[in-house]
């Protein structure tokens, strides 16, 4: 039986054995650092919330690497994330400039066209709660993400539940972003921590349980598991998994099948 702590350690060891700088990559993502800031009682400005919302929107269905490498340029294009400068910007031109530095996505024109409406929603939330910080801490991260992604009062355009969780992590809220990498690796084709392909909510519950059992920061666990899978980063357990290099192999249905095992025994956490 493997513990949650052992699963984490095996992922860290596998990445390091491939020469991957785990600590450096987590630091570059910046979300654990942001959660540390919040743990110290620091607050996040309105501009930092705009930054979080925009970076989450940009991350929609595309690799993160080029966005990470262009963060300073994006801050410049987005007027230092100042609301008034963004409102005054030509949104079509903004979308073109984001595309030109390879940070766009299929929805970028719509995302920029919706920017003023989303800024107005953020301003309304801040007025209702006293600040955006108060709002994001007013309920569990999943409840806040549901409101921003699907709610009737504060739905942000172009933002679903998963992207809303990404926004929250940019402003220091510890949370899981249940994207396809995460859902696939915990599902029944790989680690079998769930009896099928988990829904977004089920993936959040599984990783929350793992983080609690291992006693680690939820955002750290999310980042580590995502780095383990993402093509621009660790790329161990992506669409074409490198099972031969993976320390999770004895605990994984696909890994066991690859090495000749029956691969049907579900991982049981101690
Ligand atoms: S053994 Fe293969 S499929 Fe399983 S977690 Fe490792 S890389 Fe992914």
């Amino acid at each position: 039986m493997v513990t949650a702590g052992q699963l984490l350690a095996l992922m860290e060891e596998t990445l390091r054995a491939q020469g991957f700088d785990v600590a450096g990559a987590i630091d570059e993502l910046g979300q654990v650092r942001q959660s540390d800031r919040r743990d110290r009682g620091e607050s996040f400005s309105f501009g930092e919330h705009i930054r979080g919302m925009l970076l989450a929107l940009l991350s929609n269905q595309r690799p993160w690497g080029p966005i990470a490498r262009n963060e300073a340029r994006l801050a410049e294009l987005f007027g230092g994330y100042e609301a008034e400068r963004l409102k005054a910007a030509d949104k079509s031109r903004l979308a073109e400039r984001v595309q030109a530095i390879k940070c766009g996505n299929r929805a970028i024109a719509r995302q920029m066209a919706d920017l003023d409406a989303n800024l107005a929603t953020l301003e309304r939330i801040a007025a209702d709660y006293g600040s955006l910080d108060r709002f994001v801490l007013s309920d569990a991260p999943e409840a806040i993400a549901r409101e921003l992604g699907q709610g009737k009062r504060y739905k942000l355009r172009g933002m679903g539940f998963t992207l809303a969780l990404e926004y929250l992590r940019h402003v220091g809220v510890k949370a899981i972003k249940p994207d396809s990498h995460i859902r696939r690796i915990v599902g029944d084709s790989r680690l079998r921590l769930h009896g099928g392909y988990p829904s977004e909510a089920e993936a959040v519950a599984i990783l929350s349980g793992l983080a609690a059992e291992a006693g680690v920061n939820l955002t750290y666990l999310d980042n580590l598991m995502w780095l383990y899978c993402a093509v621009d980063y660790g790329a161990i357990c992506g669409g074409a998994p490198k099972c031969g290099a993976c320390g999770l192999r004895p605990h994984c249905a696909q890994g066991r099948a690859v090495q000749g095992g029956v691969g049907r025994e579900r991982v049981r956490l101690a």
Side-chain angles (χ1 to χ4, degrees):
M1 226 184 285
V2 65
T3 67
Q6 286 167 337
L7 278 182
L8 262 73
L10 288 169
M11 281 191 282
E12 291 166 342
E13 283 164 21
T14 299
L15 288 170
R16 288 192 191 110
Q18 297 293 307
F20 186 80
D21 177 7
V22 177
I26 296 268
D27 189 57
E28 184 189 90
L29 291 177
Q31 295 175 336
V32 170
R33 204 172 344 111
Q34 300 292 54
S35 76
D36 289 342
R37 279 182 58 195
R38 202 168 272 292
D39 282 346
R40 289 195 299 269
E42 290 182 33
S43 56
F44 288 70
S45 67
F46 195 88
E48 286 180 293
H49 281 268
I50 294 175
R51 171 184 175 274
M53 176 187 74
L54 281 168
L55 291 181
L57 288 168
L58 291 187
S59 76
N60 187 25
Q61 310 233 328
R62 54 149 299 137
W64 177 253
I67 298 173
R69 289 192 290 277
N70 280 289
E71 270 217 58
R73 185 81 185 101
L74 285 167
E76 203 180 299
L77 289 183
F78 288 132
Y81 301 110
E82 287 178 28
E84 297 312 316
R85 290 178 69 185
L86 282 168
K87 285 179 199 171
D90 177 329
K91 306 305 187 297
S92 310
R93 180 84 188 105
L94 200 47
E96 286 168 13
R97 296 175 80 190
V98 172
Q99 290 279 37
I101 57 169
K102 310 258 182 285
C103 290
N105 57 54
R106 275 181 293 180
I108 189 68
R110 182 79 260 155
Q111 289 173 341
M112 295 303 105
D114 285 340
L115 190 49
D116 286 354
N118 281 341
L119 290 171
T121 301
L122 293 184
E123 286 171 342
R124 192 157 50 82
I125 295 170
D128 290 350
Y129 279 80
S131 71
L132 284 170
D133 254 19
R134 282 195 189 162
F135 169 69
V136 299
L137 299 178
S138 66
D139 206 338
E142 293 74 33
I144 298 295
R146 262 193 302 279
E147 180 54 46
L148 294 173
Q150 304 150 2
K152 290 199 167 68
R153 277 186 91 186
Y154 301 130
K155 160 87 182 118
L156 291 170
R157 294 188 188 180
M159 178 154 312
F161 177 70
T162 300
L163 291 185
L165 286 167
E166 177 78 350
Y167 154 53
L168 292 179
R169 293 184 317 166
H170 283 304
V171 291
V173 175
K174 293 177 186 138
I176 297 294
K177 179 188 176 192
D179 70 4
S180 55
H181 290 310
I182 301 276
R183 291 165 71 189
R184 181 175 55 206
I185 192 172
V186 301
D188 66 347
S189 67
R190 299 200 176 177
L191 293 182
R192 294 178 60 80
L193 296 171
H194 182 77
Y197 184 71
S199 67
E200 291 173 341
E202 286 165 342
V204 168
I206 292 164
L207 263 71
S208 299
L210 286 178
E213 187 190 326
V216 298
N217 180 332
L218 196 53
T219 297
Y220 176 81
L221 172 62
D222 171 282
N223 283 185
L224 175 64
M225 203 167 255
W226 183 80
L227 289 169
Y228 203 72
C229 303
V231 68
D232 283 343
Y233 293 91
I236 298 290
C237 191
K242 299 174 187 159
C243 302
C246 177
L248 298 176
R249 199 167 61 247
H251 313 293
C252 170
Q254 179 149 341
R256 285 160 59 94
V258 165
Q259 68 177 14
V262 289
R264 302 311 304 164
E265 183 188 342
R266 181 165 298 176
V267 172
R268 297 175 72 87
L269 294 172

